[in-house]
Amino acid sequence: YDANRQVSVLYGGVHPDGQMLGDTWEWDGVGWLQRTPPHSPGPTTQHEMVYDTVRKSILLFGGYGTSPRPFNNSDVWSYDGNDWTLVTTSPSGPPPSVSLHGETAYDSARGKMLLLYQGTQGTNRNPTNETWEFDSATATWSLVSSGPGPENFLSPLAFDSSRGFTVGQYHWWANALSDAKTWTSIGQGWSLAGGSSTPPRYYSAMAYDDVRRRTTIYSCCRGQGPGSYHTDTHAFDGSQWSSVLPDITTSQLDSVIPGGLTFDTRRRAM
């Protein structure tokens, strides 16, 4: 969500026919408008996007694409509503493999984009855990932590602007029937939050609600196959999770995976 222009921005993805996309769209609360900026990152999917309060623009990180964009990269692009601009190719930042297994959130208190590298190693796909920060003012990366934290690559991050920390919800897909943990970070590593948690899921979407001052997570998958998709919604007030909306069980949702979640501050809604 671009708070300066009060629109939600969507970029790229994959068409139902399998074609990778590189188009830019904006949602103003009423309808979608396709934008045609002079430049763009190119056809891209599995990338991350946040709103940068320093640059007053959208930042796009990583993903993979087709020519002319590298298949796997750690580029950072900026979109101000008029054009896309390449900020950095991240020569001293996270390796390109991070871009396929990373989750981001923007720490507006410190002006930094937080990247949790949620990669895997070995035949058992054991999760790795690195946290990087992108300083928007200097366009440089720093490795902040490689210790304990949300050790997975299928779970989201969100920045709680009221309490000044980033929330990470641990849902490792191989253990999605049992593991669900909440972590917080103020930029110096991660701390395990106590209290209640959400039902174990993976491929969830999460965003911070500035009006209600809570982090909201929209659930998705538990297990595989028919009946494994869910729609329950939960909220985190900084210490406890609570149920907001119940799970709707219907066969029409057996193929729904949320693409993302953002909070529209003007319209006070997700």
Side-chain angles (χ1 to χ4, degrees):
Y1 179 74
D2 186 328
N4 183 49
R5 298 186 303 114
Q6 299 181 330
V7 294
S8 297
V9 179
L10 173 70
Y11 182 81
V14 179
H15 191 273
D17 65 7
Q19 178 184 1
M20 203 170 293
L21 304 173
D23 46 354
T24 302
W25 292 81
E26 294 180 356
W27 170 261
D28 63 2
V30 178
W32 285 99
L33 173 65
Q34 184 172 10
R35 302 299 299 270
T36 56
H39 307 93
S40 76
T44 304
T45 188
Q46 294 191 21
H47 48 283
E48 293 290 320
M49 293 171 64
V50 298
Y51 178 67
D52 182 340
T53 58
V54 174
R55 295 175 178 269
K56 297 189 184 305
S57 61
I58 299 292
L59 293 183
L60 181 151
F61 167 76
Y64 71 90
T66 58
S67 180
R69 196 162 199 242
F71 173 76
N72 192 6
N73 66 87
S74 295
D75 294 351
V76 177
W77 287 75
S78 174
Y79 175 69
D80 61 4
N82 296 309
D83 200 4
W84 286 95
T85 303
L86 179 63
V87 178
T88 177
T89 55
S90 308
S92 60
S97 60
V98 172
S99 64
L100 289 181
H101 304 302
E103 295 288 345
T104 59
Y106 186 80
D107 185 333
S108 56
R110 298 184 301 121
K112 298 178 186 293
M113 177 172 63
L114 193 72
L115 167 69
L116 177 63
Y117 172 20
Q118 303 164 327
T120 58
Q121 293 178 339
T123 56
N124 293 327
R125 300 184 70 183
N126 296 320
T128 60
N129 188 41
E130 290 183 356
T131 303
W132 292 76
E133 281 187 348
F134 179 74
D135 189 321
S136 179
T138 60
T140 56
W141 286 95
S142 299
L143 178 61
V144 177
S145 171
S146 58
E151 301 170 350
N152 66 102
F153 67 85
L154 295 175
S155 300
L157 303 179
F159 181 70
D160 183 330
S161 57
S162 298
R163 300 167 184 88
F165 56 61
T166 299
V167 179
Q169 184 68 352
Y170 169 69
H171 289 162
W172 173 231
W173 82 313
N175 300 322
L177 296 180
S178 60
D179 290 349
K181 301 176 183 177
T182 303
W183 297 76
T184 62
S185 174
I186 57 173
Q188 302 296 325
W190 293 89
S191 300
L192 186 61
S196 60
S197 188
T198 65
R201 301 282 193 267
Y202 59 95
Y203 283 135
S204 298
M206 190 162 71
Y208 182 70
D209 183 330
D210 290 285
V211 174
R212 300 165 188 84
R213 300 180 61 193
R214 64 190 187 186
T215 299
T216 301
I217 189 168
Y218 175 83
S219 297
C220 177
C221 309
R222 181 178 183 179
Q224 297 179 346
S228 63
Y229 294 88
H230 299 268
T231 62
D232 47 327
T233 303
H234 300 262
F236 181 64
D237 64 4
S239 59
Q240 297 284 338
W241 286 95
S242 60
S243 176
V244 177
L245 292 173
D247 193 8
I248 301 173
T249 56
T250 169
S251 60
Q252 293 179 342
L253 297 172
D254 277 345
S255 60
V256 176
I257 295 178
L261 192 66
T262 191
F263 184 74
D264 185 327
T265 54
R266 179 184 178 185
R267 298 162 190 90
R268 303 163 63 94
M270 292 287 173

